[in-house]
Amino acid sequence: MQRVKAVICYDGTHFSGWQVQPGKRTVQQEMERALTRIHKGEHTPVVSSGRTDSSVHALGQVIHFDTTLAVPEDRWPKALNQLLAPDVQVMETSFVDSSFHARFDAVEKTYRYRVHLTKERDIFRRHYVYFYPYPVRVEDMKQAAPYLTGTHDFSSFCSSRTDVTDMVRTVHEITVEEDGDELHFTFRGSGFLYNMVRIMAGTLLEVGKGLRRPEDMPAVVEAKNRESAGNTAPGHALYLVEVRYE
Amino acid sequence: MQRVKAVICYDGTHFSGWQVQPGKRTVQQEMERALTRIHKGEHTPVVSSGRTDSSVHALGQVIHFDTTLAVPEDRWPKALNQLLAPDVQVMETSFVDSSFHARFDAVEKTYRYRVHLTKERDIFRRHYVYFYPYPVRVEDMKQAAPYLTGTHDFSSFCSSRTDVTDMVRTVHEITVEEDGDELHFTFRGSGFLYNMVRIMAGTLLEVGKGLRRPEDMPAVVEAKNRESAGNTAPGHALYLVEVRYE
């Protein structure tokens, strides 16, 4: 048995997120379908670094699976990409020790949130950016971001639909960058709670709109109450960019 | 009765082209559905500058329609965009004389063809560029392009599925430009035959690949035979950019 680590990307538009759900098209289901086919019908489960929500994209999700096939380490992308739907792709693969675990061994994740700052909706980006036709104060958002970093109980930024009880996470860095007519928030941290990145993006946008001040942020964190933070920004503008391991 | 000229854009991915066809989703059908709704059920036909094929996009298609409604000239985009599907959009509108005709009065059209030059397919651009994982000689394509301009019988670049009998068109300019990892062909001319731009794009790519020489182009035009030109490049990488009127 050989454990394989794979870096994959997917366009989340037509997926109901990562995790297998009855009657829904999910990325996990699509990966397992291709792997089961290559294994001549033997079900081959896949473990990812974590779930992504419906319509959320991935540029660098990491998964692992076990195989008895004699496919060489670097041939897995081509072998799988021939079987996968056009909206998922295996970018690179490597053989790892059987103790490697895509979820438990992840030490850092990076997410990006893309905001389209314009009065004119771009239909070609409708599945990929959050259309935000309001004037925003970028400097205020840049000032607010560092208040959301560090090690905290992030209950204020966690959707109530979660089974997790330990709400403490460490956010290493949040950057706010302009890129043409887009604004990109990049979040790098040890891990994120359910909807945490989308709630942080929504809260930063409320700062940008002048509805909150940068210096209000510490109180939002300290409240440990979902009501204190801003709206959950839509999923279709969120990208899982990278997952790091030791 | 007021005639309205409108500039519209659409993402062709989920459309079976412009023209109404039974049982298919088309852009004309979607425009007429919205217009008929705003006219309280009275069927409102739409005329465009010309058809576009299945999966072909438009950044600046031009249409006209007649109305009895008292909607101000500049309010039409907002009124219609509220009723249109998210993959079509009215960008600007103006009142025109009742003699204006979107097809017959068009004096110049510009199309763009986007080629993605890379070994790595980008799943996020799969509906928008032609993935071309081969080395190409850009200079050869730049040399070949001018041979395809001018006033000619362009039968070599016309798909056999056409009712048109006059095959003479004038191509004003064809440019070949690199833009990051993409190659853009831009075609500007008085009008184009059925599939003409896609066949020209396919032929230029064969020059780029070294299968044809730039100086072979005059003979391809002179042959007046579809067999002499290259393959028809796929529709999903083609954009109707602009339609000009006197």
Side-chain angles (χ1 to χ4, degrees):
Chain A
M1 208 67 143
Q2 176 62 57
R3 183 153 288 189
V4 181
K5 174 189 174 191
V7 183
I8 68 171
C9 63
Y10 44 87
D11 177 338
T13 307
H14 301 293
F15 286 110
S16 296
W18 167 261
Q19 197 176 37
V20 166
Q21 293 174 71
K24 300 275 178 90
R25 180 173 188 259
T26 68
V27 185
Q28 184 187 4
Q29 175 200 54
E30 177 59 21
M31 284 304 311
E32 293 186 350
R33 191 192 57 72
L35 277 165
T36 299
R37 198 157 152 215
I38 215 170
H39 288 88
K40 316 280 179 211
E42 191 191 342
H43 179 66
T44 306
V46 166
V47 174
S48 75
S49 74
R51 305 176 194 176
T52 51
D53 280 351
S54 183
S55 82
V56 172
H57 312 289
L59 304 177
Q61 170 69 288
V62 175
I63 63 167
H64 79 252
F65 60 88
D66 293 320
T67 185
T68 49
L69 297 182
V71 176
E73 188 169 20
D74 60 345
R75 291 296 180 84
W76 277 100
K78 200 172 180 188
L80 284 169
N81 288 336
Q82 288 169 344
L83 299 172
L84 285 166
D87 47 358
V88 206
Q89 195 174 44
V90 177
M91 295 190 293
E92 56 180 79
T93 44
S94 52
F95 287 164
V96 286
D97 190 83
S98 62
S99 66
F100 174 83
H101 194 282
R103 182 159 81 253
F104 302 142
D105 292 353
V107 294
E108 189 182 79
K109 284 186 183 177
T110 303
Y111 281 94
R112 184 161 301 129
Y113 198 89
R114 288 174 60 184
V115 182
H116 188 201
L117 297 173
T118 173
K119 295 274 177 208
E120 295 294 325
R121 196 184 285 269
D122 177 358
I123 59 166
F124 293 96
R125 276 184 277 180
R126 70 194 185 284
H127 298 306
Y128 305 113
V129 296
Y130 182 25
F131 172 58
Y132 206 72
Y134 313 104
V136 292
R137 304 173 194 179
V138 176
E139 281 312 311
D140 284 8
M141 291 186 275
K142 286 183 178 174
Q143 275 179 45
Y147 290 117
L148 305 181
T149 63
T151 302
H152 303 282
D153 175 321
F154 280 106
S155 298
S156 294
F157 298 92
C158 182
S159 177
S160 50
R161 290 175 290 161
T162 184
D163 303 328
V164 176
T165 49
D166 177 11
M167 299 294 201
V168 176
R169 294 291 183 278
T170 300
V171 176
H172 300 129
E173 191 182 33
I174 303 175
T175 60
V176 177
E177 287 165 302
E178 289 174 280
D179 183 3
D181 58 4
E182 294 188 17
L183 189 67
H184 294 174
F185 302 139
T186 304
F187 304 82
R188 198 164 53 77
S190 64
F192 295 90
L193 299 165
Y194 186 56
N195 280 352
M196 181 166 155
V197 176
R198 290 166 56 186
I199 299 168
M200 285 188 163
T203 305
L204 286 173
L205 285 169
E206 291 179 12
V207 171
K209 229 176 167 177
L211 302 174
R212 296 165 182 271
R213 292 169 305 174
E215 56 272 27
D216 294 341
M217 294 301 106
V220 173
V221 176
E222 280 155 31
K224 294 173 197 161
N225 178 351
R226 174 68 189 88
E227 301 291 306
S228 71
N231 286 322
T232 307
H236 72 270
L238 180 62
Y239 298 74
L240 172 55
V241 175
E242 193 187 359
V243 186
R244 283 211 316 117
Y245 294 85
E246 285 298 355
Chain B
M1 207 67 144
Q2 176 63 56
R3 183 153 291 190
V4 181
K5 174 189 174 192
V7 183
I8 68 171
C9 62
Y10 45 86
D11 178 338
T13 308
H14 301 293
F15 286 111
S16 297
W18 168 263
Q19 197 176 37
V20 166
Q21 294 173 69
K24 300 274 179 93
R25 180 173 187 259
T26 68
V27 185
Q28 184 187 4
Q29 175 200 53
E30 176 60 20
M31 285 303 313
E32 292 185 350
R33 191 191 57 71
L35 277 164
T36 299
R37 198 156 152 215
I38 215 170
H39 288 89
K40 318 279 177 211
E42 190 191 343
H43 178 65
T44 305
V46 166
V47 174
S48 75
S49 73
R51 306 175 194 175
T52 50
D53 281 351
S54 182
S55 81
V56 172
H57 313 289
L59 304 177
Q61 170 69 288
V62 174
I63 62 167
H64 79 251
F65 60 87
D66 293 322
T67 185
T68 49
L69 297 181
V71 176
E73 187 169 21
D74 59 346
R75 292 296 179 85
W76 276 101
K78 200 172 179 187
L80 285 169
N81 288 336
Q82 287 168 344
L83 299 172
L84 286 166
D87 47 357
V88 206
Q89 194 174 45
V90 177
M91 294 190 294
E92 57 180 78
T93 45
S94 52
F95 287 165
V96 287
D97 190 84
S98 63
S99 66
F100 174 83
H101 194 282
R103 182 158 82 252
F104 302 142
D105 292 352
V107 294
E108 190 182 79
K109 284 186 183 178
T110 304
Y111 282 94
R112 185 159 302 129
Y113 198 88
R114 287 173 61 184
V115 182
H116 188 201
L117 298 173
T118 173
K119 295 274 177 209
E120 295 294 324
R121 195 183 284 268
D122 176 359
I123 60 166
F124 293 95
R125 276 184 278 180
R126 70 194 185 283
H127 298 306
Y128 305 112
V129 296
Y130 181 24
F131 172 58
Y132 205 72
Y134 313 104
V136 292
R137 304 173 194 181
V138 176
E139 280 312 310
D140 283 7
M141 291 186 274
K142 285 185 178 173
Q143 273 180 47
Y147 290 118
L148 305 180
T149 63
T151 302
H152 303 283
D153 177 321
F154 280 107
S155 298
S156 294
F157 298 91
C158 182
S159 176
S160 50
R161 290 175 292 161
T162 182
D163 305 327
V164 176
T165 49
D166 177 10
M167 299 295 202
V168 176
R169 295 290 183 279
T170 300
V171 177
H172 300 127
E173 191 182 33
I174 303 175
T175 59
V176 177
E177 287 165 303
E178 289 173 280
D179 184 2
D181 58 4
E182 294 188 18
L183 189 69
H184 294 173
F185 302 140
T186 306
F187 302 83
R188 197 165 54 77
S190 64
F192 294 90
L193 299 165
Y194 185 56
N195 279 353
M196 182 166 154
V197 176
R198 290 166 56 186
I199 299 168
M200 285 187 164
T203 305
L204 287 173
L205 284 170
E206 291 179 12
V207 171
K209 230 176 165 176
L211 302 174
R212 296 165 181 271
R213 290 169 306 173
E215 56 272 29
D216 295 341
M217 293 300 105
V220 173
V221 177
E222 280 155 30
K224 295 172 196 162
N225 179 351
R226 174 67 189 90
E227 301 290 307
S228 71
N231 287 323
T232 307
H236 72 270
L238 180 63
Y239 298 75
L240 172 55
V241 175
E242 192 187 0
V243 186
R244 282 210 318 118
Y245 295 85
E246 286 297 357

